[in-house]
Amino acid sequence: MIYCTIEISREDHCLLPGVCGLDLLKGKRKTPTLAKAREMVQNAVLLAINHSREKGIDPTMAFIREGPYAVPILNKLGN
């Protein structure tokens, strides 16, 4: 799981599970711009796709436009 948002500070990302999308940006700016947010999302998608394919998994993705309101869980029952 990769959180891509410019509205959560880098310090607060440590409270969230998963990867901080800010780490996917070139140059570490205190306040990322909207253009950097697009770069962050693009890099996150590429990272996730490549990571899944390296493991032989056909990747899937969920996009939550107005988040973070969702926390994914692993359903071990397969339902």
Side-chain angles (χ1 to χ4, degrees), residues 5-16 20 22 30:
T5 180
I6 58 174
E7 296 178 8
I8 297 175
S9 70
R10 184 175 298 281
E11 294 79 24
D12 288 341
H13 268 287
C14 70
L15 303 172
L16 301 171
C20 173
L22 297 172
K30 183 81 172 165

Side-chain angles (χ1 to χ4, degrees), residues 8-45:
I8 297 175
S9 70
R10 184 175 298 281
E11 294 79 24
D12 288 341
H13 268 287
C14 70
L15 303 172
L16 301 171
V19 175
C20 173
L22 297 172
D23 292 339
L24 303 176
L25 295 175
K26 294 179 183 173
K28 307 295 185 213
R29 296 182 67 173
K30 183 81 172 165
T31 307
T33 62
L34 189 54
K36 286 292 185 180
R38 287 190 288 270
E39 176 187 335
M40 180 188 338
V41 172
Q42 181 179 10
N43 289 342
V45 170

